[in-house]
Amino acid sequence: APVAVNVGMSEAMDFLTRQAQDTEDRRRTKFFSEVKQHPNFHPGMLQPPKDPFKRPENHKGPVIVTHEARSTGLEPRRPHEWGPLGGW
């Protein structure tokens, strides 16, 4: 004959919470193990995203240390000849 077990509501809720957490942990572990077997996988995919901007540090002096005109590689070989006299 089945034995009646007196289980309080809080114990039942604790059990269900543990069961749901265990199921979620196993599902996550299985998912990650399948993802790691994919040929396009690399470990950086599991890292949290990096900050898009670097935080300025005040102990190194000004934030902008140098400012130089930089060539982009798109400049013409010789300056544009402005006007009808060819730049004269």
Side-chain angles (χ1 to χ4, degrees):
V3 177
V5 177
N6 186 9
V7 177
M9 192 62 157
S10 64
E11 288 89 358
M13 290 302 293
D14 290 342
F15 172 75
L16 291 176
T17 303
R18 284 195 313 272
Q19 184 180 13
Q21 184 66 35
D22 182 51
T23 304
E24 183 67 20
D25 288 344
R26 284 188 278 126
R27 184 197 64 78
R28 183 181 295 115
T29 302
K30 182 180 178 188
F31 172 75
F32 283 133
S33 63
E34 289 177 2
V35 165
K36 288 177 183 178
Q37 293 174 1
H38 196 277
N40 293 337
F41 172 79
H42 56 87
M45 293 177 172
L46 299 179
Q47 299 299 323
K50 295 180 180 178
D51 289 336
F53 301 106
K54 187 176 180 180
R55 304 284 303 187
E57 299 175 358
N58 292 332
H59 65 276
K60 287 187 173 181
V63 175
I64 299 175
V65 179
T66 59
H67 178 74
E68 300 172 357
R70 301 182 188 273
S71 61
T72 62
L74 302 176
E75 293 81 11
R77 288 186 214 163
R78 48 186 276 228
H80 181 72
E81 297 178 0
W82 297 98
L85 298 179
W88 294 94

